[in-house]
Structure formats: structure tokens, C-alpha cells
Amino acid sequence: MMDLRCFRYGTIVIISLFFLVCSRPGISHSKDNFIIGLIPEMNVFKQQQRFQPLADYLSEKIGVKVELSMLSRYGNIVQRLKEAKVDAAFLGSFTGALAISQLGVEPLVRPINLNGTSTYHGHIFVRKDSGIQTFEEMRGKTMVFVERATTAGYIFPLAYIKRHGVTDYTTFFNEYFFSGSHDAAVDAVFKGQADIGAAKNTIFDFYMEKNPKAKDEIVILASSPNVPSNGLCVIPTLDKELKYKIKNALLELDTNPKGASVLKKLRAIRFVETRKEDYLPVTVLSSEAEISLKEYQYINR
């Protein structure tokens, strides 16, 4: 069981093409509003409630109405950015890496979590009464992923499975399905709808806080390396002055009296600057999972 808890990666060569980003043509920003896309890492209604105070705050600070575009699924976000249907998006580490590699988006900031980190990692977990303690005991069971465009909910477990010599998880598991959000994946295992699940630790911990009984019934078998928390990425054609205003407003959020309630909703301490290089751990995981960031295409099915 110890080998499952300490999931380590060997050293691999980082693909330099990750940084050869290419700018794609897009629609320039409208001065009437600024649209931020949100991915559904948790229930979409809860996600909207978390970010609305931030949108209201930014509207006041930058002098442009900030609107949220809630995505019902993880897929298509790169396509929506490509078509400039949103001006920016809070992207998970994998969707962020995809958008950087394929579209040349620019990451600006990401939040520091309540635990003092600006990163998260993935968990693979089971119910204690499942009898699963080793990788081989996962064979023939039911697995719940989150989406094919998430680091913790798909890329990490895929890399983990391949590292154990399994090339095709569709035949390794008796059944598998995608929950659509991280909290739904945890819930599926807790309620016995799946034997094994994968999700990001921040949502996993939040679920445990809200469901104390789950703490006694779910055990973590493996965890991934840290990857950057969901960061705000903007389209490459965004006006430089507006980009500067947005970035500064977020970096100074914790120094503004009105920012306290915004950060409380986000379950964050403050925002820090984010760079393209911060996504290197995602490149490593993607390579382990045999996924090319430059070529990967994911559309909701």
C-alpha cells in the first residue's frame, strides 16, 4: 500500500515545444464588458456563487462590467478561448497548459489556498470497505474520473495506471464513467456508485469538511505531484492596459477592505503572479499519460 501512497515520477526530458506558444487570431476585447469563463470543478451553481463577488469587485476596479460565463462541462474551453467567446478564464492546470501550448494565452495570477499553497494535487481514493489496498486489486472494479480535460481527475490517474503497466484502462476496469466535477467524483465513491475515484485535493478536503462521515469511510491510495492552482489566463489579443488593471486588481485584493469577503468566498488568502513555467509539472504528467499538449483535442461527448 505504501507504493500507492507515494506516487513518484522518474526524471523525464521536458518537451521544449511547450514553450513555443503560438498566438491565434481572435476577436479584440469589447469595451462594454469583460467575460471570464469558469470551469465546473464543483457544482456549477456553487461555482457561480464563489466567483460572483470577484466579478463585482473587478467591475468596480477596472471600470468595465465583468461577467461570468459558467461552463457546464470541462471540454470546449480551449475552443471558446480560440473563438474569443470569453476574454479570460480561470483554468485548471491541464486546461491552462493546453491553452498556453495551443493558443498562446497568458497566465496572470492564481490564488493561494487556505493551507498556504498556490498548488493542488490529485488523489486516487476508495471506500475502506472496498477491500482495495493495492493497484492489482483495482482490476475489474468501477472507476469514476472527472473529465478528460482535468489533471487530477483524469491525467494523473491515467499516468498512474500506465506507470503500473496497464495500457488500456477501458479493459482494466469492469466499468468506468465521468462525473463532470470533482465533488461529484468524491460523492460517487462515498455513496458506493464507484469503487475508485480521482479528484483534486482541495475539493476532496472541502467535501470532507461538509460530510464528516466520509472521513471515516474513504481512504486515499495515491497522490500526484503538485500542479498550479486554477489560474486566470487571458487571450493574447487582450488590450495591454486592461490586462495590467486586472492583474494589479487581483494582486492587491488582499490589501483592499472589500477584498476580504471576496477572498473568503474563494477560500483563498490572496493572489500571486503566475508564469508559463509553473505549468511544467503538467507537462511531465501529460507525458507519463502519453498525451501531447500540442495536439490533444477534447470536445464534450
Side-chain angles (χ1 to χ4, degrees):
M1 183 170 176
M2 289 301 295
D3 67 314
L4 292 174
R5 288 183 178 279
C6 300
F7 184 60
R8 298 179 178 176
Y9 294 88
T11 302
I12 70 170
V13 177
I14 302 301
I15 303 172
S16 60
L17 284 177
F18 177 75
F19 295 105
L20 298 179
V21 295
C22 56
S23 295
R24 303 291 182 89
I27 302 171
S28 60
H29 171 66
S30 167
K31 293 183 179 180
D32 296 329
N33 62 0
F34 183 83
I35 304 175
I36 298 178
L38 300 178
I39 55 177
E41 63 177 4
M42 61 169 58
N43 176 281
V44 293
F45 299 106
K46 293 180 181 178
Q47 189 78 324
Q48 180 83 25
Q49 291 173 353
R50 283 179 67 199
F51 280 87
Q52 190 58 53
L54 179 64
D56 296 338
Y57 178 86
L58 282 177
S59 296
E60 181 181 335
K61 294 295 290 185
I62 68 176
V64 176
K65 182 174 177 54
V66 175
E67 300 178 1
L68 301 176
S69 179
M70 191 68 238
L71 305 177
S72 60
R73 298 288 297 276
Y74 268 83
N76 304 349
I77 182 58
V78 173
Q79 185 66 25
R80 292 186 67 172
L81 282 165
K82 180 179 179 180
E83 297 171 354
K85 291 184 178 179
V86 295
D87 301 294
F90 275 97
L91 300 177
S93 58
F94 183 67
T95 48
L98 281 179
I100 290 170
S101 182
Q102 296 182 14
L103 305 179
V105 302
E106 182 180 351
L108 296 184
V109 297
R110 69 180 189 266
I112 291 184
N113 305 315
L114 294 180
N115 63 5
T117 70
S118 62
T119 60
Y120 70 91
H121 51 271
H123 287 323
I124 295 174
F125 47 88
V126 299
R127 287 181 60 92
K128 287 182 179 179
D129 60 11
S130 68
I132 301 173
Q133 295 186 349
T134 67
F135 176 77
E136 187 56 35
E137 289 171 338
M138 295 181 180
R139 187 182 298 274
K141 304 296 184 180
T142 299
M143 173 76 192
V144 55
F145 299 100
V146 177
E147 280 282 13
R148 290 183 177 86
T150 68
T151 302
Y154 183 67
I155 305 304
F156 162 54
L158 181 59
Y160 176 79
I161 291 165
K162 287 182 178 292
R163 191 168 180 82
H164 280 80
V166 174
T167 58
D168 185 2
Y169 68 82
T170 65
T171 58
F172 179 73
F173 297 115
N174 182 48
E175 293 182 47
Y176 68 92
F177 63 95
F178 294 85
S179 64
S181 67
H182 293 268
D183 56 346
V186 182
D187 195 57
V189 173
F190 177 54
K191 293 180 177 178
Q193 298 166 351
D195 302 303
I196 311 151
K200 65 190 303 183
N201 73 298
T202 52
I203 303 299
F204 180 92
D205 293 343
F206 184 67
Y207 184 94
M208 295 302 155
E209 289 178 20
K210 298 296 182 180
N211 300 272
K213 187 178 179 181
K215 292 182 179 180
D216 298 324
E217 299 188 20
I218 295 181
V219 60
I220 298 168
L221 296 185
S223 297
S224 78
N226 288 329
V227 294
S229 297
N230 290 15
L232 181 66
C233 298
V234 298
I235 59 175
T237 56
L238 186 66
D239 177 76
K240 290 183 179 180
E241 182 179 352
L242 182 58
K243 179 174 64 176
Y244 176 82
K245 287 182 178 179
I246 293 169
K247 184 175 182 179
N248 275 7
L250 291 174
L251 289 177
E252 297 172 358
L253 185 61
D254 61 309
T255 66
N256 189 302
K258 293 183 179 179
S261 60
V262 175
L263 289 168
K264 183 177 180 181
K265 274 286 187 180
L266 294 174
R267 294 175 59 82
I269 298 174
R270 60 188 175 90
F271 280 89
V272 294
E273 188 173 1
T274 298
R275 304 170 302 166
K276 295 172 184 176
E277 290 83 358
D278 296 332
Y279 291 81
L280 279 174
V282 185
T283 307
V284 174
L285 273 174
S286 300
S287 296
E288 290 274 350
E290 300 178 6
I291 287 177
S292 168
L293 290 173
K294 203 72 174 175
E295 300 174 359
Y296 189 71
Q297 299 293 325
Y298 172 59
I299 303 297
N300 286 330
R301 298 179 179 180

